[in-house]
Amino acid sequence: MEADPRFAGFVAERGDALLRYGYVLAGNPHDAADLVQEALLKLRASWPRLRAKDNPESYVRTTMARLHTATWRLRRRELLSWDPPEHGYHDTLPGEEERAMGEALAGLPRRQRVVLVLRYYEGLSDEEIATVLKISRGTVRSQASRALGKLRSVVGEYIEEGVMSDHRERR
């Protein structure tokens, strides 16, 4: 297969943004890099058919969300744990609220986290999320509701006074 400079240009231009998106989906840099790599491999295989389309990034992001959900289905019976580091760790997040939110998001089940990422990070509607994940709108709503309930219980006041009030004001 001959290398297409437009594909290489797309990867060079949008690679960092895709990695950030993967991090928000997966909750850690290693799984994020795996998601990006797998999605870009799929894009490369489909590139001859997609290059006429205006938005290959949409294809990659949809693929990443589906891959993440599929991985969740395969791993949902595994109990994953992280050993604490033996040395100190300097958190680069600006505040306790952001760290608490990140920890709370990482603690959500994969499907719930994906629904929240697609809704609040990507700005997709329930209908669009349902299409991306191949689930019903009702499932999208119930997963979002459960996820927000878990976040409220973990982060508490910060969610009610910070994130949720900001979201309500933007509507």
Side-chain angles (χ1 to χ4, degrees), residues 4-41:
D4 187 333
R6 290 174 292 188
F7 177 77
F10 169 75
V11 172
E13 182 180 320
R14 300 304 303 157
D16 290 340
L18 292 171
L19 192 56
R20 286 190 300 273
Y21 178 66
Y23 183 83
V24 174
L25 278 175
N28 71 69
H30 306 292
D31 289 341
D34 289 345
L35 280 174
V36 172
Q37 184 176 9
E38 284 293 318
L40 288 175
L41 284 172

Side-chain angles (χ1 to χ4, degrees), residues 148-167:
L148 290 172
K150 287 179 184 180
L151 290 178
R152 282 186 194 101
S153 69
V154 173
V155 181
E157 292 291 320
Y158 173 67
I159 296 292
E160 284 299 320
E161 295 172 9
V163 174
M164 291 307 292
S165 63
D166 290 347
H167 177 68

Side-chain angles (χ1 to χ4, degrees), residues 91-99:
D91 191 356
T92 58
L93 294 174
E96 288 299 314
E97 295 88 4
E98 288 83 358
R99 187 168 70 190

